[in-house]
Amino acid sequence: MFSKEDNILRLKDASRAMEICNACRYCETLCPVFPQITQFRTFDKPTLNYLSNLCHNCKGCFHGCQYAPPHEFDLNIPKTFSELRVDSYIQYAFPNILGKLFAKNGTVVSILIAVCIGLLFIVGTYFNSADSLFTAYEGEGSFFKVIPYEIMTLVSGLIFFHVIIAFIVGFRRFWTENGDKMSELKDLSLWKYAMGAAATLKHLDGGDNGHGCNHIDDRFGHSRKWFHHAVMYGFILTLISTTLAAIYHHFLGLHAPYDFDSLVVITGTLGGILMVIGCIGLTYIKIKADPIPISQKLLGMDYSFIAMLALVNITGLLLLVFREGAWMPSLLCIHLGFVLAFFLMMPYCKFVHLLYRLGALLKYAKYVRNN
């Protein structure tokens, strides 16, 4: 995606931009980034990694900047920070070699989805027959007649374990690279601020004025915040649905598919609908957005993540609707293929911005606490 020379030049340019912003301070009320800049006199890579992940990409600083293009200073903080964020994702990735997946995210995601869906069709055919993938199954446990429960559990368990390890190692690398200690995370006041800011997307409000983001042009609006809310809370609802399904299966002896009025289906359906709405809205905003403060090199990663998230939920909703018909086995293989690909890519796609933005908010909470 970026050569070593590009990375060095970008760090120098970002440091130059921060020094100019530090002298100007016009944007101090827009978001947490600019008050934080005033705490530094020099800007090394760990500091820039922190500031870029603290940035919520609202683009208010670009549209309000007197030094933005075509000024000779050529400041473009949103674009610079977007590229620095991806550099940090690659740096923190575990295992390190898989950080290279960020560079070709769109291609890798497409190939991975095709492979995962193909493998699930092969598994379904192996344990049944080719004809059975177009046969209606009814009643409790019908999903496991297509893909055995043991295989679902083993594969999902191994992937979940890998994702958790990758997230823990990545977060630790981010948190400690500029001297912060893991023991500081015992301070609940940091978590109170960070989780509150994350849950409300406080820093997409446009600062003290609360007029929102410049997400399309120089007009302010809150739609980007609401679409992010839809994706975030939709994802939380689907996690709740999955957790409830595990409780139903292991502790209540009830096996999928579940009744339409069950909490598993209700929370999963609401979550899926919210995420589809959010993905469509964010795609529209990205298409209509001013291209200047956007890194064109990163659009493939952005679109592949949104598309994969949307397709996971669309195929899930289709499976819910047609779960008692002849299309159920094929839809199950397709849906699980998208889910499998999504979780395999989770530590190496745009999803990780949630992890490092939360870490940046925790770091910023230390500043809030001490001032």
Side-chain angles (χ1 to χ4, degrees):
M1 183 180 294
F2 303 120
S3 67
K4 184 177 180 179
E5 292 73 18
D6 286 339
N7 293 338
I8 293 173
L9 289 174
R10 184 163 45 256
L11 287 171
K12 289 182 178 179
D13 184 64
S15 179
R16 175 188 69 91
M18 294 299 94
E19 290 170 2
I20 294 171
C21 292
N22 216 353
C24 175
R25 301 194 177 185
Y26 178 79
C27 296
E28 254 186 48
T29 61
L30 288 181
C31 77
V33 170
F34 296 97
Q36 275 294 269
I37 291 173
T38 65
Q39 305 304 302
F40 302 97
R41 292 296 175 266
T42 59
F43 299 90
D44 56 11
K45 192 175 192 315
T47 300
L48 290 170
N49 284 345
Y50 161 49
L51 293 173
S52 64
N53 280 285
L54 184 60
C55 168
H56 284 54
N57 202 31
C58 73
K59 303 181 181 67
C61 61
F62 175 81
H63 289 282
C65 182
Q66 60 185 321
Y67 303 122
H71 192 279
E72 61 180 328
F73 286 176
D74 194 32
L75 293 195
N76 193 336
I77 305 301
K79 180 181 177 181
T80 300
F81 273 3
S82 293
E83 295 177 353
L84 285 174
R85 276 195 296 275
V86 176
D87 287 344
S88 72
Y89 303 160
I90 296 171
Q91 175 186 338
Y92 304 137
F94 176 82
N96 293 95
I97 191 171
L98 294 183
K100 296 178 181 179
L101 295 178
F102 285 102
K104 299 289 184 181
N105 230 227
T107 303
V108 172
V109 166
S110 300
I111 294 173
L112 190 60
I113 288 172
V115 170
C116 289
I117 292 176
L119 286 175
L120 282 162
F121 270 102
I122 291 172
V123 171
T125 302
Y126 177 80
F127 284 98
N128 299 273
S129 68
D131 293 339
S132 68
L133 293 181
F134 300 95
T135 301
Y137 290 90
E138 296 182 2
E140 188 177 293
S142 61
F143 289 167
F144 305 131
K145 295 175 183 177
V146 181
I147 306 293
Y149 172 76
E150 293 77 12
I151 291 180
M152 285 193 189
T153 304
L154 176 62
V155 173
S156 61
L158 289 173
I159 294 173
F160 179 76
F161 178 76
H162 169 72
V163 169
I164 294 299
I165 295 299
F167 279 175
I168 290 174
V169 173
F171 183 87
R172 183 182 182 87
R173 288 173 175 174
F174 170 77
W175 184 259
T176 59
E177 74 167 345
N178 62 349
D180 293 301
K181 296 179 173 57
M182 294 297 291
S183 59
E184 295 178 275
L185 293 173
K186 296 177 182 178
D187 187 344
L188 295 182
S189 67
L190 304 185
W191 288 97
K192 180 180 178 181
Y193 176 89
M195 294 302 292
T200 60
L201 294 177
K202 173 182 178 180
H203 301 305
L204 286 179
D205 281 339
D208 293 347
N209 293 324
H211 41 42
C213 296
N214 303 102
H215 48 261
I216 293 180
D217 49 32
D218 59 357
R219 293 171 296 174
F220 297 102
H222 288 280
S223 58
R224 183 165 174 262
K225 174 182 177 179
W226 299 126
F227 287 132
H228 268 94
H229 268 307
V231 172
M232 179 172 67
Y233 285 107
F235 186 78
I236 291 172
L237 283 171
T238 58
L239 285 181
I240 292 173
S241 175
T242 303
T243 303
L244 288 172
I247 293 172
Y248 279 27
H249 185 96
H250 293 288
F251 297 101
L252 301 181
L254 301 174
H255 307 305
Y258 300 106
D259 295 335
F260 286 102
D261 60 351
S262 69
L263 283 176
V264 172
V265 174
I266 292 172
T267 53
T269 302
L270 288 175
I273 292 172
L274 279 174
M275 278 201 278
V276 171
I277 292 172
C279 287
I280 292 173
L282 291 174
T283 301
Y284 173 79
I285 289 174
K286 197 168 290 292
I287 291 172
K288 300 292 290 185
D290 180 356
I292 297 177
I294 296 174
S295 175
Q296 301 301 309
K297 296 179 181 179
L298 304 181
L299 285 178
M301 177 188 297
D302 292 347
Y303 282 126
S304 65
F305 171 66
I306 294 173
M308 183 162 55
L309 198 58
L311 288 168
V312 165
N313 290 280
I314 290 171
T315 55
L317 292 171
L318 288 173
L319 178 61
L320 176 66
V321 173
F322 296 105
R323 63 184 184 171
E324 295 181 357
W327 287 100
M328 185 277 281
S330 297
L331 283 171
L332 179 65
C333 291
I334 293 171
H335 173 61
L336 292 180
F338 279 116
V339 173
L340 182 60
F342 175 73
F343 278 93
L344 282 170
M345 282 300 297
M346 190 179 280
Y348 315 107
C349 70
K350 185 68 177 288
F351 185 90
V352 297
H353 83 282
L354 301 175
L355 180 70
Y356 300 124
R357 186 153 291 159
L358 177 62
L361 287 170
L362 285 164
K363 288 176 180 281
Y364 181 67
K366 291 172 57 180
Y367 167 76
V368 173
R369 180 193 60 188
N370 296 329
N371 288 274

